[in-house]
PDB file of all heavy atoms in Angstrom:
ATOM      1  N   THR D 632      17.420  -0.510  -3.342  1.00 91.00           N
ATOM      2  CA  THR D 632      17.491  -0.583  -1.879  1.00 91.00           C
ATOM      3  C   THR D 632      18.186  -1.888  -1.508  1.00 91.00           C
ATOM      4  O   THR D 632      17.778  -2.954  -1.970  1.00 91.00           O
ATOM      5  CB  THR D 632      16.079  -0.560  -1.274  1.00 91.00           C
ATOM      6  OG1 THR D 632      15.429   0.650  -1.667  1.00 91.00           O
ATOM      7  CG2 THR D 632      16.135  -0.634   0.239  1.00 91.00           C
ATOM      8  N   ILE D 633      19.246  -1.817  -0.658  1.00 92.00           N
ATOM      9  CA  ILE D 633      20.031  -3.014  -0.355  1.00 92.00           C
ATOM     10  C   ILE D 633      19.899  -3.397   1.116  1.00 92.00           C
ATOM     11  O   ILE D 633      20.159  -2.583   2.008  1.00 92.00           O
ATOM     12  CB  ILE D 633      21.532  -2.820  -0.682  1.00 92.00           C
ATOM     13  CG1 ILE D 633      21.730  -2.303  -2.111  1.00 92.00           C
ATOM     14  CG2 ILE D 633      22.292  -4.129  -0.494  1.00 92.00           C
ATOM     15  CD1 ILE D 633      23.177  -2.068  -2.497  1.00 92.00           C
ATOM     16  N   PHE D 634      19.510  -4.647   1.342  1.00 93.00           N
ATOM     17  CA  PHE D 634      19.580  -5.262   2.665  1.00 93.00           C
ATOM     18  C   PHE D 634      20.855  -6.104   2.707  1.00 93.00           C
ATOM     19  O   PHE D 634      21.165  -6.796   1.738  1.00 93.00           O
ATOM     20  CB  PHE D 634      18.380  -6.183   2.910  1.00 93.00           C
ATOM     21  CG  PHE D 634      17.077  -5.466   3.096  1.00 93.00           C
ATOM     22  CD1 PHE D 634      16.348  -5.027   2.012  1.00 93.00           C
ATOM     23  CD2 PHE D 634      16.576  -5.244   4.363  1.00 93.00           C
ATOM     24  CE1 PHE D 634      15.143  -4.368   2.174  1.00 93.00           C
ATOM     25  CE2 PHE D 634      15.370  -4.586   4.541  1.00 93.00           C
ATOM     26  CZ  PHE D 634      14.656  -4.145   3.449  1.00 93.00           C
ATOM     27  N   ALA D 635      21.584  -6.059   3.832  1.00 93.00           N
ATOM     28  CA  ALA D 635      22.795  -6.863   3.979  1.00 93.00           C
ATOM     29  C   ALA D 635      22.636  -7.790   5.177  1.00 93.00           C
ATOM     30  O   ALA D 635      22.396  -7.329   6.295  1.00 93.00           O
ATOM     31  CB  ALA D 635      24.011  -5.963   4.164  1.00 93.00           C
ATOM     32  N   ALA D 650      24.927  -1.994   2.777  1.00 90.00           N
ATOM     33  CA  ALA D 650      23.491  -1.766   2.966  1.00 90.00           C
ATOM     34  C   ALA D 650      23.073  -0.325   2.755  1.00 90.00           C
ATOM     35  O   ALA D 650      23.881   0.606   2.809  1.00 90.00           O
ATOM     36  CB  ALA D 650      23.094  -2.213   4.374  1.00 90.00           C
ATOM     37  N   SER D 651      21.763  -0.163   2.541  1.00 87.00           N
ATOM     38  CA  SER D 651      21.151   1.164   2.474  1.00 87.00           C
ATOM     39  C   SER D 651      21.063   1.754   3.879  1.00 87.00           C
ATOM     40  O   SER D 651      21.330   1.086   4.874  1.00 87.00           O
ATOM     41  CB  SER D 651      19.756   1.081   1.851  1.00 87.00           C
ATOM     42  OG  SER D 651      19.836   0.695   0.498  1.00 87.00           O
ATOM     43  N   TYR D 652      20.690   3.013   3.941  1.00 81.00           N
ATOM     44  CA  TYR D 652      20.559   3.734   5.212  1.00 81.00           C
ATOM     45  C   TYR D 652      19.072   3.837   5.566  1.00 81.00           C
ATOM     46  O   TYR D 652      18.257   3.998   4.665  1.00 81.00           O
ATOM     47  CB  TYR D 652      21.183   5.126   5.052  1.00 81.00           C
ATOM     48  CG  TYR D 652      21.045   6.023   6.257  1.00 81.00           C
ATOM     49  CD1 TYR D 652      21.994   5.988   7.272  1.00 81.00           C
ATOM     50  CD2 TYR D 652      19.962   6.887   6.383  1.00 81.00           C
ATOM     51  CE1 TYR D 652      21.863   6.801   8.383  1.00 81.00           C
ATOM     52  CE2 TYR D 652      19.823   7.698   7.485  1.00 81.00           C
ATOM     53  CZ  TYR D 652      20.770   7.656   8.481  1.00 81.00           C
ATOM     54  OH  TYR D 652      20.650   8.460   9.584  1.00 81.00           O
ATOM     55  N   PRO D 653      18.681   3.747   6.845  1.00 77.00           N
ATOM     56  CA  PRO D 653      19.518   3.590   8.045  1.00 77.00           C
ATOM     57  C   PRO D 653      19.904   2.136   8.275  1.00 77.00           C
ATOM     58  O   PRO D 653      19.149   1.219   7.951  1.00 77.00           O
ATOM     59  CB  PRO D 653      18.618   4.110   9.160  1.00 77.00           C
ATOM     60  CG  PRO D 653      17.235   3.818   8.681  1.00 77.00           C
ATOM     61  CD  PRO D 653      17.268   3.972   7.185  1.00 77.00           C
ATOM     62  N   TYR D 654      21.097   1.945   8.866  1.00 80.00           N
ATOM     63  CA  TYR D 654      21.615   0.598   9.057  1.00 80.00           C
ATOM     64  C   TYR D 654      20.710  -0.253   9.923  1.00 80.00           C
ATOM     65  O   TYR D 654      20.605  -1.457   9.734  1.00 80.00           O
ATOM     66  CB  TYR D 654      23.007   0.657   9.685  1.00 80.00           C
ATOM     67  CG  TYR D 654      23.981   1.518   8.916  1.00 80.00           C
ATOM     68  CD1 TYR D 654      24.687   2.538   9.535  1.00 80.00           C
ATOM     69  CD2 TYR D 654      24.184   1.307   7.556  1.00 80.00           C
ATOM     70  CE1 TYR D 654      25.578   3.324   8.823  1.00 80.00           C
ATOM     71  CE2 TYR D 654      25.066   2.094   6.831  1.00 80.00           C
ATOM     72  CZ  TYR D 654      25.760   3.106   7.470  1.00 80.00           C
ATOM     73  OH  TYR D 654      26.625   3.875   6.759  1.00 80.00           O
ATOM     74  N   LYS D 655      20.063   0.382  10.888  1.00 80.00           N
ATOM     75  CA  LYS D 655      19.217  -0.382  11.809  1.00 80.00           C
ATOM     76  C   LYS D 655      18.133  -1.130  11.058  1.00 80.00           C
ATOM     77  O   LYS D 655      17.712  -2.209  11.454  1.00 80.00           O
ATOM     78  CB  LYS D 655      18.595   0.569  12.831  1.00 80.00           C
ATOM     79  CG  LYS D 655      17.771  -0.145  13.880  1.00 80.00           C
ATOM     80  CD  LYS D 655      17.424   0.762  15.016  1.00 80.00           C
ATOM     81  CE  LYS D 655      16.697  -0.015  16.097  1.00 80.00           C
ATOM     82  NZ  LYS D 655      16.387   0.807  17.255  1.00 80.00           N
ATOM     83  N   LYS D 656      17.690  -0.570   9.951  1.00 82.00           N
ATOM     84  CA  LYS D 656      16.631  -1.185   9.163  1.00 82.00           C
ATOM     85  C   LYS D 656      17.177  -2.186   8.147  1.00 82.00           C
ATOM     86  O   LYS D 656      16.542  -3.199   7.853  1.00 82.00           O
ATOM     87  CB  LYS D 656      15.827  -0.096   8.445  1.00 82.00           C
ATOM     88  CG  LYS D 656      14.645  -0.652   7.649  1.00 82.00           C
ATOM     89  CD  LYS D 656      14.102   0.364   6.664  1.00 82.00           C
ATOM     90  CE  LYS D 656      13.065   1.249   7.276  1.00 82.00           C
ATOM     91  NZ  LYS D 656      12.381   2.076   6.258  1.00 82.00           N
ATOM     92  N   PHE D 657      18.373  -1.915   7.610  1.00 89.00           N
ATOM     93  CA  PHE D 657      18.842  -2.672   6.447  1.00 89.00           C
ATOM     94  C   PHE D 657      19.993  -3.632   6.721  1.00 89.00           C
ATOM     95  O   PHE D 657      20.431  -4.326   5.811  1.00 89.00           O
ATOM     96  CB  PHE D 657      19.225  -1.699   5.323  1.00 89.00           C
ATOM     97  CG  PHE D 657      18.070  -0.916   4.799  1.00 89.00           C
ATOM     98  CD1 PHE D 657      17.901   0.423   5.118  1.00 89.00           C
ATOM     99  CD2 PHE D 657      17.115  -1.516   3.998  1.00 89.00           C
ATOM    100  CE1 PHE D 657      16.821   1.147   4.652  1.00 89.00           C
ATOM    101  CE2 PHE D 657      16.030  -0.805   3.519  1.00 89.00           C
ATOM    102  CZ  PHE D 657      15.877   0.528   3.845  1.00 89.00           C
ATOM    103  N   VAL D 658      20.507  -3.656   7.948  1.00 89.00           N
ATOM    104  CA  VAL D 658      21.605  -4.580   8.281  1.00 89.00           C
ATOM    105  C   VAL D 658      21.103  -5.633   9.261  1.00 89.00           C
ATOM    106  O   VAL D 658      20.502  -5.306  10.284  1.00 89.00           O
ATOM    107  CB  VAL D 658      22.813  -3.822   8.887  1.00 89.00           C
ATOM    108  CG1 VAL D 658      23.839  -4.808   9.431  1.00 89.00           C
ATOM    109  CG2 VAL D 658      23.457  -2.916   7.843  1.00 89.00           C
ATOM    110  N   PHE D 659      21.355  -6.903   8.930  1.00 89.00           N
ATOM    111  CA  PHE D 659      21.022  -8.025   9.809  1.00 89.00           C
ATOM    112  C   PHE D 659      22.285  -8.850  10.024  1.00 89.00           C
ATOM    113  O   PHE D 659      23.080  -9.024   9.109  1.00 89.00           O
ATOM    114  CB  PHE D 659      19.945  -8.918   9.186  1.00 89.00           C
ATOM    115  CG  PHE D 659      18.628  -8.241   8.979  1.00 89.00           C
ATOM    116  CD1 PHE D 659      18.370  -7.514   7.821  1.00 89.00           C
ATOM    117  CD2 PHE D 659      17.631  -8.316   9.935  1.00 89.00           C
ATOM    118  CE1 PHE D 659      17.164  -6.883   7.626  1.00 89.00           C
ATOM    119  CE2 PHE D 659      16.411  -7.691   9.747  1.00 89.00           C
ATOM    120  CZ  PHE D 659      16.177  -6.965   8.600  1.00 89.00           C
ATOM    121  N   GLU D 681       9.181  -2.175   3.957  1.00 65.00           N
ATOM    122  CA  GLU D 681       9.996  -1.251   3.161  1.00 65.00           C
ATOM    123  C   GLU D 681       9.343  -0.992   1.817  1.00 65.00           C
ATOM    124  O   GLU D 681       9.321   0.125   1.323  1.00 65.00           O
ATOM    125  CB  GLU D 681      11.401  -1.825   2.970  1.00 65.00           C
ATOM    126  CG  GLU D 681      12.286  -1.023   2.017  1.00 65.00           C
ATOM    127  CD  GLU D 681      12.460   0.433   2.423  1.00 65.00           C
ATOM    128  OE1 GLU D 681      12.286   0.772   3.613  1.00 65.00           O
ATOM    129  OE2 GLU D 681      12.749   1.254   1.544  1.00 65.00           O
TER     130      GLU D 681
END
Side-chain angles (χ1 to χ4, degrees):
T632 301
I633 308 179
F634 289 81
S651 294
Y652 176 88
Y654 306 127
K655 184 168 185 177
K656 183 195 272 190
F657 296 105
V658 171
F659 296 86
E681 173 57 23

